[in-house]
Amino acid sequence: MPPRNATKAGWGPRLYPWPPPPVEPDLWVPSATSVLAVIDKPAIAGWKVKNVAKGAIAMHNNGSLAALVAQDEGMAEAALKNSWKTDLDAASAAGTLVHDRLEALIKGAPPPVMTPAAEQVFTRLQGLIRDYNVVFLHSECAVYGLTPGLEWAGTLDAIVEMDVPGRGRRCLVADLKTGKGVYDEACFQVGGAYSHADKLVTGDDGTIIDMPKVDGAVVFHVRQDFARVIPVAADDTAYAAFMAARTIWRIQHDKEWTAVFAPLPASSKGDER
């Protein structure tokens, strides 16, 4: 399911309008995920290289690489460059189906047609929901941070009430992830940004309310072979980390500010030498 109210032009950052539709927006603000893209992720570069190598071997073995080179070397190069996306696209498709199935369950809507892999993941998620007695208060809602000059937006998966062992019932921002791991960026996004939002757009009619007070943030990390709840930091440090990234994003996208200037004129002393 695409982020609520968001748009993206070309290869640029994902942007949200504020105020949201149907009101004419005063400004467009970057998504939390676009903001966090300023953080270097060296492990991803290695993963991409590995998958390109795997893709090249697969294309060589099935003969498609030689055929593409013979037809058009540019096409062959483009195919190799994009071969790292194969596993990502498959995982993304399954994750989208699980998100859509959960949203259908919450709203009592007809479920999407599921692949076997997505169905297995969703069955695990249903078990997690039962085990922790999860009640969904809001789902797939746009949230906005409105600090002047550092505005941002995002689409949170859910705000829930659930049993937390040793702590009783808690109100939490919850994010559903179906990838291999849960990384620091999840803390910055869910605990740093979403938990500290100023406004939430609830329902399909664009109703804007103050962000509900929450006790923290968790990730529902669900795969075919397990489901677990992972708490992430939602304190002032998490918020400061996200806003530091937001500040860098503003500097990088500020067309009025220059980081590197033109070279100095040649020195007259240099002409004399």
Side-chain angles (χ1 to χ4, degrees):
M1 178 174 291
R4 188 179 297 277
N5 297 331
T7 186
K8 187 174 183 180
W11 294 100
R14 190 181 298 279
L15 302 173
Y16 285 70
W18 177 259
V23 180
E24 189 69 22
D26 294 327
L27 71 161
W28 291 84
V29 303
S31 72
T33 51
S34 293
V35 167
L36 291 172
V38 304
I39 299 176
D40 186 35
K41 303 173 183 67
I44 290 181
W47 174 81
K48 287 181 178 180
V49 170
K50 178 182 176 180
N51 274 16
V52 167
K54 289 169 60 178
I57 292 170
M59 291 171 66
H60 168 75
N61 290 340
N62 64 29
S64 61
L65 182 58
L68 276 174
V69 171
Q71 180 182 354
D72 186 323
E73 290 188 0
M75 289 177 58
E77 181 179 339
L80 287 172
K81 285 181 178 179
N82 289 313
S83 62
W84 66 270
K85 297 179 180 179
T86 302
D87 289 347
L88 181 65
D89 289 344
S92 177
T96 298
L97 282 174
V98 174
H99 276 83
D100 290 349
R101 180 69 178 86
L102 176 60
E103 186 70 1
L105 176 68
I106 294 169
K107 294 187 173 182
V113 177
M114 303 285 280
T115 63
E119 190 64 55
Q120 283 184 299
V121 174
F122 187 72
T123 298
R124 293 282 185 179
L125 175 61
Q126 287 180 300
L128 181 151
I129 291 170
R130 289 192 301 268
D131 291 345
Y132 291 91
N133 193 19
V134 177
V135 175
F136 291 87
L137 305 179
H138 299 283
S139 64
E140 288 294 333
C141 295
V143 288
Y144 289 81
L146 298 175
T147 300
L150 294 172
E151 298 90 349
W152 59 269
T155 300
L156 57 75
D157 286 341
I159 297 177
V160 304
E161 282 187 353
M162 59 179 286
D163 294 336
V164 177
R167 297 183 60 194
R169 297 289 288 176
R170 288 291 184 267
C171 181
L172 304 166
V173 173
D175 192 64
L176 171 61
K177 294 197 180 298
T178 58
K180 290 184 178 180
V182 175
Y183 307 104
D184 290 349
E185 287 76 13
C187 162
F188 304 149
Q189 177 185 1
V190 185
Y194 296 169
S195 297
H196 294 266
D198 296 306
K199 298 294 181 181
L200 179 145
V201 183
T202 181
D204 296 321
D205 58 356
T207 301
I208 302 171
I209 64 173
D210 289 337
M211 176 67 182
K213 178 176 174 55
V214 296
D215 301 312
V218 292
V219 171
F220 294 164
H221 187 208
V222 188
R223 303 277 287 176
Q224 288 177 253
D225 53 345
F226 67 79
R228 55 191 181 182
V229 178
I230 301 179
V232 297
D235 55 9
D236 290 343
T237 299
Y239 178 64
F242 173 78
M243 292 304 285
R246 178 63 180 89
T247 301
I248 294 171
W249 193 95
R250 180 182 65 179
I251 292 171
Q252 289 181 342
H253 291 79
D254 184 352
K255 303 303 181 184
E256 302 301 319
W257 185 76
T258 302
V260 179
F261 298 90
L264 294 175
S267 169
S268 58
K269 293 183 179 180
D271 295 338
E272 296 171 359
R273 288 197 294 270

